[in-house]
Structures are given as C-alpha cells and as structure tokens.
Amino acid sequence: MACFSARASHIVGGEFELIYISGNTYRLNMILYFDELNGNPGARDQFVDARIFRKRDNFIMINAIRLFMTSIENVPYTQPECSSGEIVTTKIIYGINLNLSPAEFNDPDGYYIAWERCCRNYSITNIYSEDPMLGSRYAGQTFYLEFPPVVKNGEPFVNSSPRLFPPLNDYACPGKNYYVDFAGTDDDGDSLVYSIVTPLNTKSPDAIPPGGLPRPGPYPDVNWRPGFGVNNIINGQPDLKISDDGFLTVTPPAFGLGLYVFAVKCEEFRDGVKIGEVRRDFQMFVVDKCPVAEPPQIVGRKKGAVVFSQPNQTLSVSFPNSLSDADRCVEVQVSDPDSQKADDNFQEKVNIRVFPMNFRHTSRYLTELLPTVNRATLINGSVADFTICFPECSYVPGGNYQVGIIAYDDACSLPLSDTLVINVFVQPPVNSKPQFVTANQIIHINEGDPLISVPIQANDADGDQLDVFVLVDGFDIGNVGMTLNLNPTQPGQLTGLFTWDSRCDVYDFTQKTQFNIKVIVDDRDKCAIVSGDTLHFNLSIQLPGNADPVIGSDIQQANEKRVEITRKIYQPLGFNVFGSDADQDFLVLTLNGKQFNRESVGIIFPGDEDYGEVSSPVDWYLNCDKINLNAKSTYELEFIVVDNANKCRFYKADTLTVVVHVEPPDNLAPEIFVESLNPDQLLESGALTVVRGSEVRLKIQGTDADVSPQDVMRISLSRASGAIPPADYSFSSVEGTGEIETTFTWNPDCSIFRNGIFENDYEFEFKVDDGRCYSGEQASTTVYIKILDEEGDHQDFLPPNIVTPDGDDVNDFFAMIKWVAPGQYESILPKDNCIGSYVNIRIYDRWGKQVFESSDRDFKWYPKGLASGVYFYHLTYTHRQYKGTVSVKY
C-alpha cells in the first residue's frame, strides 16, 4: 500500500521532543497541531520521516527516522462553554525510540533534528501563506530541535529536551488581554530561556521535500506581510511578548481581527552554557465575539479584623508566633458586577489562586495555601468569602514575603482577573540558638612540639538535634597532621576533640603554614531557621630554618649564575659542576637542556646525589652529525642542585645556566691536481692538444690537510662543454679522506667534427669538495683540450709505377711504401682521417681482367709469373679514387 502526502492548508504548529530513557536509548516525539476546520484529512500524515544532522558541517548522522503516529486528541479550551466551533485543533503525536551511540554522537558542537512540511493555513493575516498552486509566497513549517552530544570529556552527558506546556485552543478578542502559559519543564533541571522568533519556512513548496526527507539547514524564515515582523506580531497594544518563565501575553488591537502565526524559541542552558534548543510554532485567532464583561474584584482583611481593604490596595498583615494555625489567616472577598447582569443570567462563576511574588517556589502557584473550597457562583450581586491561612514557618528567611491572591471569573474567551497583593510577616517560633562552650582558638606552635589537643563542646538550650559543619581555607585536615572528631548524636549537645601533630617529617607543611578552621553548629528547629554558632581555629606553625644549597663550576666567576661561552663544531667542551649544602642535606645534581634533548646532541653528564656535597663532569664533543646549526646554534644548559629531602621537605634549589654558542668548524681548503697519463700528450698550463685517434687519459688527484677529523672529499666532473657537446668519455666520481684520485679517459671519434670543421676545443672542469659541515670548502681546475683531425696528405701522394720480378729480390713486388733503411719501409698511402679512409686496391691487365685485390693498407703484389706489360690499378678511398699504371718488366 502506498502513502501519498497531500499539500494542504492544515498546519497550526508544533515541536520536537527528545527524551532520555536509559543507556543509549532516547524517545523522539514530534507534536503536530492540526487545523481540523481548514485542513485536508488527506494531509494528516500517518508517519513522518525526519533526519539528524551534525551542526558543525550538516553531515547526515541518521538518514531517515520514521516516526509513526501514536496518539491524536483535541486541544481543549480554557472555557469550553465559550466555544462555538471557531477553532478546532487536534494534537497529533508521532514517536520512535532511538539509539544514540557515544561513539557517533560526540561532537562538541552538537546536532539538530529537522522535518519539513507544507503548508500552513492559507488565511493567515501576518505572513504570506499562499496556495503554491496559485502563488509563489508559500509558507511551510520546519520542525527543528537542537541537542548536545551524548558524551562530554569521556563521560556520559545525559539530557532531555524541554517539554513545553500544552497550548490551549482559545481565541483572542480585540482590546482584551490574552494570555497563555507556554512554559516548559526540564527533566534535568536545566535553565530555560524563552524568546519570540520568526517562524521557519520550508525550502520548497512541496508537501514533503523531494526524496521525502528534509534537507540540511539553515532553513529560511517565513515572509512577513507589510506592517508585521518579529517585534510586531499582531500590532498589539501591547504586542505579543513572552516572559522569562514562558508566560505569553498580548492585547490585540481594536481592528486586528484575523489569524496570526508566531514562534517561541526555548533555549536550554546548563551551568551557564547553552546545550539545546526547541522551537514551537503556533497560531492565534482574533475574533470580535467576546461579550462585554467586567473583571471581578477582590479585597481582604486579617482574620478577626472588621474592615476589608480597598480595591487595588495592598494588604499588610503580621502574625506573632503565639497564634494558632487557624488564626494565622486572612479573609478575602470576591465580587463581580457581571453577576447582576441579565446577559449573564444574574450569575458569575469565580475562583481564586495564590502565587508567590517576591520569592521562588517549586511551582507557579501556592496551591497549599488554597482552602478546600476555592470556587463559587455569585448570584445577583452576592459575594464569595474565602479564608487563606499561612504556615507557621515563613517561605523566606526573616519572615517577610509577598503573595498575590488572584480572583478569576468565567468571561469569554479567557477569564478576567483581579489581584490582591498581601505583605506577610510571620514571627518564627521561639528558639534558642546553640552555643559553643569551647572558646575560639588561636594556636601558634613550633615544628615538632608535643601533640596539641583541644576538647570541643556546644549545647542547645531547647534540646534540639544539632548539625555540625566544618569549613577550611583550602587544605585537607588529615594531610597536615590534624584530626577533628565531632559527635552530635546526643540531642542538644555536641562533643568532639581537635588534635594537631606538627612533625614536618611526617606531614607536609611546605605549601601552607597558616590554617583557619570554622566549626559551625546549628539546631534543627521547627522552621529550619539558620541560627548557629561558629568556633574559630586560627592555627600557625613555625618551621625550622634550612640553608639553601649552592651550585658552582670551574668555568664561572664568583657568584656568577649565567655563563656564556663559544665553541666550534669538532671542539670539545669539558668542565665540572658541583653543589654543596651547609646543613649536609641530601642533594641531587641534574642537568636540563632548555628546549633540547641533551643526549641527542651528545652531552654526557652523569649527575650526582649525595649528602652535603655533589659534583659531576660535563663532557661534550660537538660532533657535526648531532648538531643542526640551521635549526639551533645556541644551547642553554641548566644545572640544578636540589635539596628537597630535608626534614620538612622544603624544595630548595640553586641553578647555574651555561649558554653555549656553537659556530661552524675551522677548515683548510682542499687542493686538486691533474696530469696526463699519455706520454705523447703534454699537459701545459691546463691545456692539451690531441690528434683524433689518440686516447686522452688524465689522472685527477685531491688532497686535504684537515686531520681532526679528516674530511671526506669527493672528486666530481662539474662541467664538460664544447662547440659539439662531448660524449662517450669515461669518468667516475670518487670519495675518500686524505688523498684520493680518479681517472678520465676519452677517445673521440669523427662525430665531433661537423660542417667541414675538423678542429674542436673542449673544457672539462673537475672539482674536489671536502664536505666539511657548515664550513665546506672546494677547489676546481679546468682542462682545455683541443682535438685535431689527422692530416690526409692526398696532394703529395705519388705511387710507384714499375716492378721487376726477375728474382734478384729487388723491386720484386708492388706496394705503397718507400725504403727508409735496410729492412725498414714506410707507407706512402694518404693517412685515414675524418675526410676519407682507405677502402681497397684492384689491379687489372690490359684486357680488363682483375689480377689482384686487397683491402689491406699494407698490401704487396707479387706479379711473378704474369706477362710483362702495363697493368692498371684502382686505389679507392671513401671520398675519392686513385687510378694509375704499373709496368711489369723482367
């Protein structure tokens, strides 16, 4: 079965309640006041779906809480006989039990519950409330309640929201005072503060929000019509207001007929801190149907007196304590002019109430003062007499208090009233105050004196049971060697004993040596009037003297308590600290690093403890790996010698502060050297000229003279540059101490030559870094290398042109060599370079037949066996070819 919510003009008002049950269980109720005359029965929801949000960020704590209808009842009239059906309101309650877990509902800012429903009555006078189908200025209601976390500071925080007083179904009349009690009760005794606020609207004109669930706040206010607002709800004279205790009053204007909506916010405070809030919306109907009526009149007199007070006159009465309960009374008389009117059938119903005026009571009215019969019907001008008797014991200390006796009639729509103010003085019963027999005590003792004992006695002449109270000025009696045993069990008598053990080695007197004790005795007289007596103990103790300990060191001047010194990293700091005490008390010598941990920076201080004298060395090697100068360069060492084991446990101490300013370490700069490892390459002033094809080999060496400690050097190649960036060289960084070395090798190929340029300059910068912390030094050197290509000598190339293989071993072969010395030959071929390089040689006979081929530069052709004649050769390079002839002769 599907349920649909109808949009209709039906909401009078309502509110939420959240009531603590037990454990984590709470009861959530929502009260809705439904307009039976204007509401569509289809708009009476069988259930509502609310949500709980976290106030801090509107996070959804419980997405959907379905509250089912649990009851429905009519809202009653104060004067049912005044009703002719102008207002018919029902009170519908929806409810469900919730589990609010401390693990989830612990946010200190608290939570809120909301439900949105549209619409309010379309006939409201002071706000815009149009049918959403006909206009855009709709008016719904957002039901809203705030509640605190269920746990605070790790402890359960139990709380129930206020329960507001049920509203009445009454209407108001122009020019007539209207009043209603909106005050609530709080299960936890929290303070409640009331205020008139603008009612909350819904975020959309939908009967139920899209999705069926309320959206997070904040929620909009309803729109006031011109001339109305939160400070001008109905243009009343005076306008609608609510008292501190929730009493709502208004006098509608003469021409202010209509239906008015308003909202009351009730804020909940505990210990002065707001913890919750509930809002109730309601509406007031102003109609011009109240008959002309006159208020009743009440006068009074002390019982036994002849003359009544005048109307509106305050009555003052005084009762001696000799009167009986039946005579400690006033007589009041109530009359009403309406009892003589035919329109009222010559009768008027009246009743009386009594309320406190200048003092607080547990309830709004003093029902205990009312006579058994406190209602009457006046007929044809008759009067009603009532007797009000006051208790023997006054409501307030001193016996003077003020009450108001209100007389009500049965006027429509609300009773009219008159008040008789009575000043009451009731003389308290005769009572003798208790008195101490023991005199006030002023005691001054020296530490270690014998045990002090003071007997205590107080008496009450009436034999009343006595109560005793003890007040002290900020100390615990047992902690300072005192005992106070009091016995008030015997009626009319208090006995006791005060003792004081002043041994300071047993009890601690270091925080306090003067003590004040008040022993207050009071009797349980009939009216519990405070009339006690006080016994004063003014106590003090004189403690023995104790010499102060003295601290010193071998780095300070006499009596100097602050020493400043400077040390560099890698330097040691050592000195001795000592303490002494003239009383030979037990001393403890310690070191405290101010805002740093002394162990973490390497300070060694064993400390010492002994009787009379203590000493300890300080040893600190300022190592770089334990000190971060970027974070901290000044260290305060606080040496303390403490004497707190003396007889009376006084804390006495002396302090020496040594401020160490830490600076970077000393440092000798490293050196770097480079030499060529190729004997054919001479390194002069850092420059080296190399013909391509010859490998560059360098040795790089670094040295450092620091020895305490030795620096860890590192040699690196910091820059390699040239017109054509160098590549394929070999270098490895190296680290070490004292003396370190590494090598650089490079055998460049033709890729370094471009655009017909066969000469390049390069720079290689080598660096040595000594790595010394905070004062590091480095050295560098640059090697300038010029790379040249091999000269080809192609222009001067002239090959031989004859060979004689006749067996004489002279000129027997054809080759590209020349004789240098016996058995030694030298190639005459153009050298290979980046322009061109040798490929091969081919030899052909005159018919074009190839007779020889070789790709070896050092080839030799032996033509023996071939015919004499001219042969042709092709000598090929990558960039050109040489052609020629060679003759073979025998």
Side-chain angles (χ1 to χ4, degrees):
M1 175 181 177
C3 296
F4 299 94
S5 296
R7 183 194 294 115
S9 168
H10 68 284
I11 298 176
V12 172
E15 73 267 4
F16 276 117
E17 289 180 345
L18 185 64
I19 308 302
Y20 175 73
I21 304 300
S22 64
N24 298 333
T25 303
Y26 289 76
R27 179 70 179 180
L28 177 61
N29 293 325
M30 196 198 81
I31 303 168
L32 183 139
Y33 297 102
F34 191 92
D35 188 339
E36 295 291 346
L37 297 181
N38 298 294
N40 184 340
R44 184 182 289 121
D45 302 307
Q46 297 303 305
F47 58 83
V48 298
D49 289 329
R51 267 178 171 171
I52 298 182
F53 301 90
R54 188 165 55 203
K55 285 180 62 179
R56 173 168 51 87
D57 55 6
N58 290 325
F59 178 78
I60 300 173
M61 300 298 298
I62 301 181
N63 185 48
I65 307 171
R66 178 156 290 184
L67 292 80
F68 290 94
M69 184 189 297
T70 59
S71 67
I72 181 170
E73 61 184 31
N74 288 329
V75 175
Y77 287 86
T78 303
Q79 302 277 69
E81 59 271 18
C82 294
S83 173
S84 57
E86 298 85 356
I87 305 175
V88 180
T89 305
T90 54
K91 176 181 178 182
I92 305 174
I93 298 180
Y94 302 85
I96 192 172
N97 284 356
L98 296 178
N99 183 284
L100 302 182
S101 168
E104 297 178 5
F105 289 87
N106 54 26
D107 191 277
D109 290 342
Y111 306 86
Y112 67 92
I113 306 172
W115 182 63
E116 296 179 81
R117 186 66 162 98
C118 195
C119 295
R120 299 176 189 264
N121 285 331
Y122 298 148
S123 57
I124 297 177
T125 303
N126 60 341
I127 67 168
Y128 287 106
S129 181
E130 300 173 348
D131 186 339
M133 301 296 291
L134 303 176
S136 61
R137 292 180 292 190
Y138 67 93
Q141 179 179 348
T142 295
F143 291 71
Y144 183 86
L145 177 141
E146 294 180 3
F147 66 95
V150 300
V151 61
K152 282 189 177 182
N153 302 320
E155 297 294 329
F157 191 77
V158 175
N159 183 65
S160 294
S161 68
R163 306 178 195 234
L164 298 187
F165 193 91
L168 301 177
N169 208 17
D170 302 320
Y171 55 85
C173 295
K176 301 288 187 181
N177 184 39
Y178 176 87
Y179 56 88
V180 64
D181 190 352
F182 257 43
T185 59
D186 190 274
D187 294 351
D188 312 298
D190 296 323
S191 299
L192 305 180
V193 176
Y194 303 88
S195 59
I196 301 290
V197 293
T198 299
L200 295 179
N201 204 344
T202 53
K203 289 192 170 185
S204 74
D206 302 285
I208 298 295
L213 292 168
R215 290 147 294 189
Y219 300 99
D221 292 337
V222 297
N223 296 306
W224 296 103
R225 290 183 182 272
F228 297 98
V230 69
N231 296 316
N232 195 23
I233 300 292
I234 68 171
N235 287 318
Q237 299 172 348
D239 200 56
L240 188 70
K241 61 182 179 180
I242 192 166
S243 66
D244 292 341
D245 55 358
F247 199 71
L248 198 72
T249 59
V250 66
T251 301
F255 302 99
L257 305 182
L259 188 62
Y260 298 87
V261 71
F262 62 94
V264 172
K265 179 170 68 175
C266 177
E267 297 173 287
E268 184 181 12
F269 290 82
R270 185 174 299 179
D271 298 327
V273 178
K274 180 179 175 180
I275 61 172
E277 171 185 316
V278 62
R279 299 172 68 110
R280 170 188 281 179
D281 287 14
F282 210 68
Q283 61 189 29
M284 178 189 305
F285 192 34
V286 180
V287 295
D288 191 10
K289 63 161 288 181
C290 294
V292 176
E294 298 182 59
Q297 189 176 82
I298 183 170
V299 293
R301 64 186 178 190
K302 184 177 180 181
K303 186 176 181 180
V306 177
V307 180
F308 283 99
S309 63
Q310 294 298 312
N312 301 319
Q313 179 186 8
T314 298
L315 177 64
S316 297
V317 294
S318 177
F319 301 106
N321 55 22
S322 58
L323 289 180
S324 66
D325 291 344
D327 292 327
R328 198 181 310 108
C329 308
V330 295
E331 296 169 335
V332 298
Q333 189 175 88
V334 179
S335 60
D336 193 312
D338 291 335
S339 67
Q340 303 178 58
K341 296 178 180 178
D343 290 345
D344 290 305
N345 295 321
F346 299 102
Q347 63 180 18
E348 189 79 8
K349 294 179 180 178
V350 296
N351 66 87
I352 61 171
R353 290 185 179 179
V354 184
F355 69 98
M357 296 190 68
N358 66 342
F359 62 95
R360 288 190 174 274
H361 194 254
T362 54
S363 61
R364 185 180 294 275
Y365 297 104
L366 302 173
T367 55
E368 66 271 19
L369 297 186
L370 289 176
T372 304
V373 177
N374 50 59
R375 296 177 178 273
T377 300
L378 306 184
I379 300 174
N380 202 18
S382 64
V383 297
D385 294 305
F386 304 96
T387 300
I388 308 294
C389 293
F390 299 98
E392 181 181 8
C393 297
S394 174
Y395 284 106
V396 296
N400 289 288
Y401 57 93
Q402 190 177 72
V403 299
I405 302 178
I406 309 176
Y408 292 99
D409 65 9
D410 61 355
C412 290
S413 69
L414 291 173
L416 299 178
S417 64
D418 187 27
T419 301
L420 171 64
V421 178
I422 304 179
N423 294 323
V424 181
F425 173 74
V426 177
Q427 184 183 26
V430 175
N431 180 59
S432 299
K433 59 182 291 188
Q435 290 185 328
F436 276 102
V437 176
T438 307
N440 290 333
Q441 302 291 309
I442 300 177
I443 301 174
H444 179 79
I445 62 174
N446 294 312
E447 186 277 330
D449 281 354
L451 184 74
I452 298 293
S453 296
V454 178
I456 297 173
Q457 182 176 349
N459 298 321
D460 184 85
D462 302 322
D464 293 331
Q465 183 68 48
L466 299 180
D467 293 316
V468 63
F469 312 93
V470 178
L471 301 178
V472 297
D473 61 339
F475 68 96
D476 185 283
I477 287 179
N479 289 344
V480 293
M482 301 178 188
T483 65
L484 185 59
N485 297 312
L486 301 169
N487 180 13
T489 57
Q490 185 69 28
Q493 189 176 42
L494 168 70
T495 58
L497 180 67
F498 168 79
T499 66
W500 191 9
D501 183 347
S502 62
R503 292 173 297 166
C504 69
D505 56 343
V506 179
Y507 301 102
D508 186 0
F509 297 105
T510 60
Q511 303 301 315
K512 195 174 179 68
T513 58
Q514 291 187 326
F515 310 92
N516 290 299
I517 303 175
K518 293 181 182 179
V519 182
I520 302 171
V521 64
D522 196 5
D523 60 354
R524 299 182 190 176
D525 60 281
K526 188 173 185 179
C527 292
I529 297 173
V530 177
S531 58
D533 194 15
T534 302
L535 172 62
H536 295 271
F537 284 84
N538 295 323
L539 311 168
S540 61
I541 182 172
Q542 179 67 45
L543 299 177
N546 185 62
D548 294 331
V550 178
I551 194 169
S553 72
D554 51 17
I555 61 169
Q556 69 186 108
Q557 301 297 324
N559 300 321
E560 190 178 26
K561 294 302 180 183
R562 184 179 179 90
V563 180
E564 300 205 19
I565 57 177
T566 299
R567 286 292 186 275
K568 295 182 178 181
I569 288 180
Y570 298 133
Q571 288 183 340
L573 174 62
F575 56 93
N576 294 297
V577 181
F578 42 81
S580 61
D581 185 87
D583 301 321
Q584 296 298 303
D585 290 329
F586 188 77
L587 302 178
V588 177
L589 178 62
T590 58
L591 167 60
N592 175 43
K594 280 195 172 182
Q595 299 181 343
F596 74 97
N597 182 282
R598 63 183 178 89
E599 288 85 1
S600 67
V601 298
I603 298 176
I604 300 174
F605 182 77
D608 193 16
E609 53 184 46
D610 206 343
Y611 289 93
E613 293 186 355
V614 288
S615 64
S616 177
V618 182
D619 186 13
W620 187 12
Y621 178 71
L622 284 75
N623 205 333
C624 187
D625 60 357
K626 293 189 175 183
I627 297 176
N628 183 357
L629 285 183
N630 295 326
K632 188 176 183 65
S633 62
T634 299
Y635 295 83
E636 285 197 28
L637 284 61
E638 186 179 62
F639 298 92
I640 306 173
V641 61
V642 176
D643 164 19
N644 64 351
N646 50 72
K647 178 182 179 183
C648 290
R649 291 173 288 183
F650 288 112
Y651 179 86
K652 293 200 170 184
D654 196 14
T655 302
L656 169 65
T657 300
V658 177
V659 181
V660 182
H661 301 281
V662 181
E663 296 181 347
D666 293 329
N667 188 26
L668 297 174
E671 295 183 291
I672 190 168
F673 307 94
V674 179
E675 67 173 285
S676 174
L677 296 177
N678 191 330
D680 296 331
Q681 299 170 359
L682 181 62
L683 183 65
E684 292 182 324
S685 300
L688 190 68
T689 300
V690 178
V691 176
R692 189 200 59 78
S694 178
E695 184 180 49
V696 178
R697 291 189 294 121
L698 303 175
K699 179 174 76 172
I700 302 94
Q701 185 180 49
T703 63
D704 188 276
D706 289 309
V707 295
S708 182
Q710 285 188 306
D711 293 330
V712 178
M713 296 179 291
R714 184 176 189 272
I715 297 177
S716 61
L717 176 59
S718 57
R719 180 169 56 88
S721 62
I724 305 299
D728 300 327
Y729 53 80
S730 175
F731 174 82
S732 297
S733 297
V734 65
E735 292 185 354
T737 58
E739 184 175 311
I740 59 174
E741 65 179 46
T742 186
T743 59
F744 171 89
T745 60
W746 187 28
N747 195 358
D749 57 23
C750 290
S751 64
I752 68 171
F753 300 129
R754 297 179 188 174
N755 302 322
I757 299 174
F758 298 97
E759 177 181 316
N760 279 347
D761 293 321
Y762 292 91
E763 294 182 10
F764 294 89
E765 183 182 67
F766 299 95
K767 182 176 70 174
V768 61
D769 191 327
D770 65 7
R772 202 167 185 86
C773 66
Y774 305 115
S775 60
E777 297 281 354
Q778 64 181 34
S780 64
T781 186
T782 300
V783 178
Y784 302 91
I785 302 177
K786 182 185 290 293
I787 305 294
L788 304 174
D789 198 7
E790 184 76 44
E791 292 292 338
D793 300 329
H794 289 276
Q795 293 180 353
D796 299 329
F797 175 48
L798 183 64
N801 57 7
I802 189 169
V803 60
T804 57
D806 53 5
D808 61 359
D809 293 331
V810 177
N811 200 26
D812 289 337
F813 58 87
F814 177 67
M816 299 297 172
I817 57 176
K818 67 180 180 179
W819 185 85
V820 178
Q824 295 182 12
Y825 297 91
E826 186 177 273
S827 174
I828 63 172
L829 277 174
K831 295 179 180 179
D832 289 346
N833 61 17
C834 293
I835 297 176
S837 59
Y838 171 82
V839 177
N840 61 19
I841 185 170
R842 291 189 179 92
I843 302 177
Y844 303 89
D845 62 16
R846 56 185 173 179
W847 293 281
K849 179 180 178 182
Q850 181 177 311
V851 296
F852 180 79
E853 179 182 10
S854 176
S855 59
D856 187 355
R857 288 179 62 93
D858 298 325
F859 72 89
K860 292 180 180 179
W861 177 47
Y862 292 89
K864 186 176 181 179
L866 295 178
S868 298
V870 177
Y871 289 81
F872 304 88
Y873 65 83
H874 293 174
L875 184 64
T876 303
Y877 273 71
T878 55
H879 69 300
R880 64 177 296 182
Q881 191 176 60
Y882 297 93
K883 295 181 180 181
T885 61
V886 59
S887 297
V888 177
K889 293 182 180 183
Y890 288 94

